[in-house]
Structures are given as C-alpha cells and as structure tokens.
C-alpha cells in the first residue's frame, strides 16, 4: 500500500480524503495558490509503484522542493524513503528543499518507525522533518506552508533551464516526491 | 537498492535505440511511427484442432465426411503456423508434429508418438483433469439444424460451442482424450474419463472462467482467480504445458477436458492460458488471450519480455503492481461485451451535427498541443477521435485496451489532479511508450478525453490543449450536450467491474436519449417494436470498411449479469461460425443456429456483418427478412451518420 502521497496532496489541495485511494499510475499534476505568501505550488504527485521509478527524474528535475513521504507503520517504506533521499541528493538540483514526511500519524498504535529515528536521519541529511496525517489533516497545511516559507524569494529564483515547466514570476514549482511502501 | 532494481524504462531504452527521446527521459517517447503489427489481427485464426463446423445448411454440404473436413482444417492450421511464425524449433520438426497430429485426427494413419513428448502429454492430461473447472449451469440446448454429429475432435468443438451440455462425464472424457490424441499423435485411451472434475484439488476449480499468465521458467505472473501464488500448485500442468508447447510449437493451441476448454498462447517468454466452461468457442478465448497480452504490453511494453529473457529467474511481479486489476477488469469486460471479437471501434450514437462540432474542436486541440492522437470516449465507446497528419488510424484493439486501462483507475474519474501516464499502444508501437493526458469531463459522467503524445515533456502543451477544448466547447454551447452523453449502461457479467453510476431509471432514460436510435423498440417495422412484438431481440452490426460496430442495448432478458454473459456467448458463437470456416477459401456468408432459448443468425457481406439474436420461434424466412431489413436500415446514410464516425474522423 502507498505511503499516502496522493492522499496528502488531495488533503492539501482539495480538502478531501478517501479510505480507498487508487494507486497513482504515471503521475498527477495539481496546483494551489497561497496569495498571502505570493506562492503558487505546482505539484507533481508521482507514482510509487516500482515500474514508474524511472519516470521520477522527469518530475524532480528542476523542482524547487521535494517531499519524501513514508508510512510510519511501515519500516520498509522508511527504507525506501532513505533511498529516495540519496537519489535526490545525487540527481536533484543542489538547492532543492527536501522534506521528509512520516505520514499516517493517526495510526500511532501501529507505529513502526520512531520519531527519534526519523528525526536523527533528517538532521544528518539536512532535511525538514514532520509527521502528518492525511486522514485527520494533522500537520498537512504546516508541511506545505513551511516549504513555502523556505522557498527563496521570487526575484531570486532563476527560471528553470528546460522548457517543460513554465513558471511565472510569482510562482514556485514544487515537485512532490515520494517514497512508497509495500 | 538501486542497483538491484531493473527498471522498465531502461530496458525499453535498449529496445528502442533510435527513438527520438532525449537521454533525460527514462521512458522513451514512442517513435511516432507504428511498429509492424506484432500479432495478427485477422479474425479467422482458429486452433489447430478446432475444425468443427456446426452445421450451416446454407453453405456447408450436408454430409461432408469427417476426414475431409479435418484435412481442410489442418491445412488451415498449417498455414496459420507459418503465418504466425510461432513454432519453436525447426520448421521441419514442427511440420512433422503436424503431420502426426493429422494422422491421429484422421484416425487411419499410423499412431506414432513423437519420441520426446509422450510423457508430457500424459502429464498434461492428468493436470488438465485436475484442473477441470466446475460445470457451468447447463446452457441452452442447441440443436444445430439437424445434421448428425461428426465423430471427430472438431465435432467436440462444435458440440461444445453449441451442443447439448447434458453430455455425460464419459462422453466428456472421451473428448478430452480425443484432444490428447491431437497432442501426442498416438494413443487415445479414454483414460482420463473426466473423473477429476469432482475432486479437483485446486481451489479455483469452482470458477467457470480462469486466466493465467506464466513466464517460460514457470514463474506465475498473473491469475484471474485467487492470487498468482495459487498457480504454484499447478507446476505439473505448467511443466507439461511448457514442454509440449515447446516441442510442438503452436500445434497445441487448445485442449478440452470435460466441459472445460483450455486455450494456450505463447508470446516470447510469456505463456497465456485461458480455461473456461462457459461455452465460448476457442477462437473467442484465443482473442481474449491476445487482448490480455496487449493489455500487459500497454502497461509495460515488450520491455517486460526482454527483462525475462535476459534474466529468467527475476521475479517480475515487482514491476506489475496493480496490473492484475487491469487484466481482470478486461476479462470481466470481455465476458459481458462481445464487441471485442469484432476488432471494431464502437461509436457512441451522437447527433451528426454535434459529433461534427466536437470532432472539429478535438482536431484543433490535437493540432495545437502537438498530440499524435486525441480521443473523446465514453467508457469503451468513441464519441470523437482525431489524429495528427501522417499518423495511421488507431487500431480498435488498442483503443479498447486504452479505455479499459483508463476506466480501471478511479483517480482519473474523480479528478485527483491532471493525470499524465505512459501507455503503450501495442499495434502502434509495442516497444515504446506514448504519454497520455487523461481528463474526465466531469466526475459523474463516463466521458473522458485522452490526448496522446510521443514526448514525455508534453504535459503542459497537452494540458493547455485540453483547457482550450473545454473553453471552446463552453463558448459554443456544446458543454451541456457533451455532459449529457452517457455510455450505454454496462452490466458486468461476473460482478467484477463495479459500476458506480446507478441512477434512477427516469433520469437514465433522459440521459440516454441519444442511444435510443439503436434500441430495437425504435427501429422501423418489421424490425422494431416492443419486446414480444418483434422477433428481433438484439443485434450487432459491423461496418467493415469503417472498422466500426454498433450493438443494440440489451433487451430486458439480457440485462442481468447472467443475461449479459449469455448474450455475449451467443455473439461469440455466431462470430466463430462466421469466421472459422473449415475451408478459409470458402468463408461462411450466413450462420444460423436455433434452440429453445433463441435463434441466432449472422450474415457477412462485403460492407457489413450483421448479427441477430431472435425469438426461438423465428423461422428462417422471417430471420432472413429481418436480416435484410437490418442491412437496409443501417445502409441508410442518415442513420449511419448518427451511429458511426465519419470515415474522415475514423481514418482520414
Ligand atoms: N490511516 C491513514 N491512512 C492513510 C493516510 N494517508 C493515506 N492513507 C491510506 O493509505 C492508502 C494509500 O494512500 P495513497 O495516497 O494512495 O498512497 P500513495 O503514496 O499515493 O500510493 P501510490 O500512488 O501507489 O504511490 C490509501 O488507502 C489511503 O486511504 C493517513 O494519513 N492515515
Ligand atoms: Mg498516489
């Protein structure tokens, strides 16, 4: 089962949550504007299924930020999150903001990845760390707002080199990256 | 971790050197040119052993003797083997096996077992006996039209396609060994006698239909019933199957055990198996397997085969997450909608003027966005389609597979963002992906737009093409008309594909007014009328030159899941009768089949194939008159304009 990437984005952008959320095929694109911060998020919700792994660079290339999501009830998903972090460190743009997100925090009883462990890993790798629940909406806005705050001011953002994603002055691109579990 | 992850994308890159992809893109864009067809799309491919010709007194000499028919059938099978080039091993040995099979069928030749596969054939028989699926509830007793059953394996085929289902186990067992004789060219002891049917150990014998996919090294890849691991218990069948199929090429295409028909198909290192006791003819099951292969290719390209070929022990299931659901949905769809047999686009009836306006917008959106194809679909029905210059028309099978893929993912329908996904159209280019922008017009409607591009970077262009189209449709007042379009109500035959669009009947009727033009009630006399007032219950028409087909909405007899499955099986039988003649040189022009439940009639002319399901009391003269009236009705230009896509939209 996925770690909840689509659920997080849907909660954030549309305020919805589905107990049965279909696994993402390919990728999905969503946007949300935060006028008070003068930010427009352009979010790629990528597929966690292994066969789409090779598509990922297309989405994180040139992104201003990436969110790597794991499921706090699944140690395996945490392992995969770490491998995504390594990949993004190697291949992503050097200034990319990375957030490590432990999702499904509402399932405290089934927790398999401790806060301490994840926090230590995040600190070591210079990642922003937060636990969220797409289901209860806990910390979801905080996650995205924190990223918005961390983004460089619009003037300072160079236009991305390739023509794929067009950003206007007041926009920031954010690539939603993931780690999927089982 | 990264090192041990074989990625389809990279496999595909190898396989499609020379594609126009930038090196940055892991999923290479498809060369925007079609590959030569990887599997034949001709409709008269029949199993080698299936030579039965249920009597068709209009075309078939009444007393044609078994041996002669078999010889013709085998000639056909040989031609097919060569055309498909499937036979493994040397041509000579394949030909030898066929000769032996011929001899065995003939019953008069020497029964020489090929030295190497006698054992495996026994194993197959045993495994098949244990696999015998539960008998389907007795089906309609078909009486053919009076010609005596021939005592040949071909007849077993014919008898099952339309024959009495009251056959005893002994009789069934007899048939099973007849078919085994086809495989080993020798003994035909009635040793299997169908006894396995009752005490089959496998858990899924309770299912009337089963599909599975294995790799050549015996690794389970997909199972329709249960999970793939339930296939592990089938190792006996698997190894026997593999050795027989490898030794004999495509000479073994199907085997019958009891009431169960088992059809095999090979694609490189992938083995496809269908088992059914629902009475579909072998041609229909084979077409279903071909489409399942196509569905697999749509999701993973032939890169999957290359991965297995390079590393046969690699467990490819990690690359196939979620694919099983798509394959199962396809299997469910095919059980209730016979249109897959016809390899034809299914246009949704739309008033001609509306269709023209929508098509024009779609063409412009395709042009602006640099897409290679644009489609406006309602479930598996086409509202409009368009393609870039120089692109060949889309193959109807590709369209069906794409539609099934889109319909399987409810995130598309419920608008969880703008969807962009790699898809491979097997007839267009089986080795590479196109990139699909998928957008439902609104969540409640089954109507969706697909724009296909050769470039993985095309998302934003496709997105603005879609935005332009929606805007223009609104400006021109087309949007409400588009939103009112609904696909015909689909009845899932096996309860598999849940339909979340249940609406109150009245609303349904309103929304489906555009479909009325196809319903039997609204046809002119003598065709039309309420149920009971006309002998015609259901019909399908295939417009040959257009590669399009329309079907009437099912009458109330066929609206239940069982009814839908029954109707689909009627059409499958008719199709098989029309397209699998004993002698390909003399294709059947007319097929007729009557029993206590229905009279089935089909005809094939240059421009049109017509399929009719009629009241069982219908006599031949009446059926002939109905047939002629249907042909005339659908030859009318005004009617055709509303129910078909113009040749320009479909193929120019
Ligand atoms: N209890 C709980 N369940 C959640 C939460 N977030 C997601 N889920 C469930 O987890 C499952 C997977 O969620 P998705 O959002 O589809 O996960 P994904 O990461 O997008 O998965 P892929 O698209 O396959 O990569 C769904 O059944 C969700 O309902 C959460 O915060 N709490
Ligand atoms: Mg997802």
């Amino acid at each position: 089962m996925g770690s909840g990437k689509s659920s997080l984005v849907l909660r954030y952008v549309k305020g919805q949550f589905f107990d049965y959320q279909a696994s993402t095929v390919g990728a999905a694109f969503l946007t949300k504007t935060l006028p008070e911060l003068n930010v427009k998020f352009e979010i790629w919700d990528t597929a966690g299924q292994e066969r789409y792994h090779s598509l990922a660079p297309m989405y994180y290339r040139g992104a201003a930020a990436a969110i790597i999501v794991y499921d706090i009830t699944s140690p395996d998903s945490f392992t995969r999150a770490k491998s995504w972090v390594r990949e993004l460190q190697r291949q992503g743009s050097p200034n990319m903001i990375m957030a490590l997100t432990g999702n499904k925090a509402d399932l405290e009883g089934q927790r398999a990845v401790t806060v301490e462990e994840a926090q230590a890993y995040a600190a070591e790798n210079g990642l922003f760390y937060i636990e969220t629940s797409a289901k209860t909406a806990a910390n979801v806005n905080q996650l995205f707002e924190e990223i918005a705050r961390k983004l460089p001011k619009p003037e300072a953002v160079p236009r991305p080199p390739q023509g794929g994603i067009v950003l206007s002055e007041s926009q920031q691109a954010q690539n939603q990256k993931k780690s999927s579990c089982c | 971790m990264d090192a041990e992850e074989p990625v389809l994308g990279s496999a595909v890159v190898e396989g499609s050197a020379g594609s126009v992809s930038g090196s940055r893109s892991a999923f290479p864009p498809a060369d925007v040119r079609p590959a030569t067809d990887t599997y034949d799309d001709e409709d008269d491919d029949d199993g080698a052993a299936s030579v039965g010709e249920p009597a068709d007194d209009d075309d078939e000499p009444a007393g044609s003797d078994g041996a002669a028919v078999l010889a013709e059938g085998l000639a056909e099978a040989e031609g097919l083997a060569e055309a498909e080039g499937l036979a493994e091993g040397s041509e000579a040995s394949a030909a030898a096996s066929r000769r032996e099979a011929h001899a065995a069928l003939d019953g008069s030749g020497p029964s020489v077992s090929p030295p190497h596969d006698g054992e495996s054939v026994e194993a197959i028989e045993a495994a098949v006996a244990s696999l015998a699926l539960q008998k389907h509830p007795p089906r309609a007793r078909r009486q053919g039209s009076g010609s005596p059953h021939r005592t040949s394996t071909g007849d077993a085929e014919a008898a099952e396609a339309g024959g009495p289902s009251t056959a005893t186990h002994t009789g069934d067992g007899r048939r099973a060994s007849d078919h085994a004789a086809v495989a080993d060219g020798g003994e035909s002891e009635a040793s299997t006698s169908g006894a396995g049917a009752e005490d089959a150990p496998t858990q899924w014998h309770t299912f009337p239909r089963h599909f599975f996919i294995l790799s050549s090294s015996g690794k389970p890849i997909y199972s329709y019933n249960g999970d793939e691991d339930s296939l592990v218990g089938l190792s006996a069948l698997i190894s026997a199957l593999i050795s027989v199929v490898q030794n004999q090429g495509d000479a073994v295409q199907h085997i019958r055990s009891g009431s169960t028909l088992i059809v095999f198909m090979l694609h490189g290192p992938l083995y496809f198996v269908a088992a059914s006791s629902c009475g579909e003819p072998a041609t229909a099951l084979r077409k279903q397997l071909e489409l399942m292969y196509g569905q697999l290719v749509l999701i993973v390209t032939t890169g999957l085969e290359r991965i297995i070929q390079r590393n046969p022990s690699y467990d490819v299931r990690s690359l196939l997450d979620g694919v099983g659901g798509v394959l199962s949905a396809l299997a469910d769809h095919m059980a209730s909608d016979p249109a897959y047999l016809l390899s034809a686009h299914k246009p949704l009836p739309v008033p001609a003027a509306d269709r023209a306006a929508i098509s024009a917008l779609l063409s412009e959106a395709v042009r602006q966005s640099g897409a290679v194809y644009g489609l406006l679909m309602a479930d598996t029905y086409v509202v409009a389609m368009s393609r870039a210059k120089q692109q060949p028309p889309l193959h109807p099978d590709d369209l069906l597979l794409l539609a099934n893929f889109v319909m399987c993912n409810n995130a598309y329908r419920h608008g969880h963002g703008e969807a962009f996904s790699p898809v491979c159209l097997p007839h267009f280019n089986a080795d590479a992906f196109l990139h699909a922008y998928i957008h439902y017009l609104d969540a409640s409607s089954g109507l969706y737009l697909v724009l296909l591009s050769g470039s993985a970077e095309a998302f934003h262009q496709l997105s603005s093409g879609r935005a332009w189209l929606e805007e223009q449709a609104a400006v021109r007042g087309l949007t409400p008309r588009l939103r009112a379009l609904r696909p015909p109500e689909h009845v899932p035959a096996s309860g598999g594909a849940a339909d979340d669009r249940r609406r109150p009947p009245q609303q349904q009727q309103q929304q489906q007014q555009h479909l009325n033009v196809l319903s039997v009630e609204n046809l002119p006399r003598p065709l039309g009328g309420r149920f009971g007032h006309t002998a015609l219950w259901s019909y399908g028409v295939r417009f040959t030159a257009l590669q399009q087909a329309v079907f009437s909405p099912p009458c109330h007899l066929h609206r239940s899941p069982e009814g839908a499955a029954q109707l689909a099986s009627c059409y499958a039988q008719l199709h098989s009768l029309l397209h699998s003649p004993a002698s390909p040189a003399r294709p059947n022009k007319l097929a007729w089949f009557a029993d206590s439940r229905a009279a089935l009639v089909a005809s094939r002319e240059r421009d049109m194939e017509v399929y009719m399901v009629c009241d069982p009391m219908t006599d031949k003269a009446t059926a002939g008159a109905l047939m002629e009236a249907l042909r005339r009705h659908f030859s009318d230009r005004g009617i055709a304009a509303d129910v078909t896509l113009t040749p320009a939209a479909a193929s120019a």
Side-chain angles (χ1 to χ4, degrees), chain A residues 2-7 18-19 21 23-24 48 103-104 106 134-135:
Chain A
S3 53
K5 301 176 291 298
S6 301
S7 301
F18 301 92
D19 280 320
Q21 172 69 41
S23 189
T24 306
N103 189 42
K104 308 198 187 180
D106 55 295
K135 186 167 183 167

Side-chain angles (χ1 to χ4, degrees), chain B residues 243-298:
Chain B
S243 83
V244 170
V245 170
Q246 281 175 346
N247 288 334
Q248 305 205 354
D250 65 345
V252 181
Q253 290 185 336
H254 64 256
I255 288 179
R256 179 174 297 283
S257 168
S259 59
T260 301
L261 179 64
I262 301 163
V263 177
F264 310 100
M265 190 181 78
L266 274 72
H267 265 289
L270 297 175
Y271 294 176
F272 293 75
V273 184
S276 170
S277 55
C278 298
E280 297 106 319
T283 44
L285 287 178
R286 195 174 151 75
K287 176 82 188 182
Q288 294 187 16
L289 287 182
E290 266 173 24
L291 285 166
M292 292 193 107
Y293 170 69
Q295 189 76 73
L296 197 61
V297 169
L298 182 130

Side-chain angles (χ1 to χ4, degrees), chain A residues 10 14 18 20-23 25-30 44 49-51 53-55 58-59 80 83 90 162 164-165, chain B residues 2 5 7-9 26-27 299 318-321 405 409-410 412 415-422 456 459-460:
Chain A
L10 275 179
K14 305 198 171 178
F18 301 92
Y20 176 70
Q21 172 69 41
S23 189
V25 167
F29 183 76
L30 300 93
W44 278 108
Q49 290 174 349
E50 187 49 43
R51 68 174 170 282
H53 189 147
S54 59
L55 280 177
M58 209 166 78
Y59 301 112
R80 296 221 229 167
S83 113
R90 273 201 316 266
Q162 81 282 0
I165 301 168
Chain B
D2 287 350
E5 291 167 348
V7 172
L8 284 177
F27 271 31
I299 301 171
S318 63
L319 299 175
L320 297 175
D321 265 344
F405 173 78
N409 194 308
N410 69 9
Y412 293 144
H416 299 167
E418 295 177 71
F420 191 52
S421 174
F459 173 81
H460 291 279

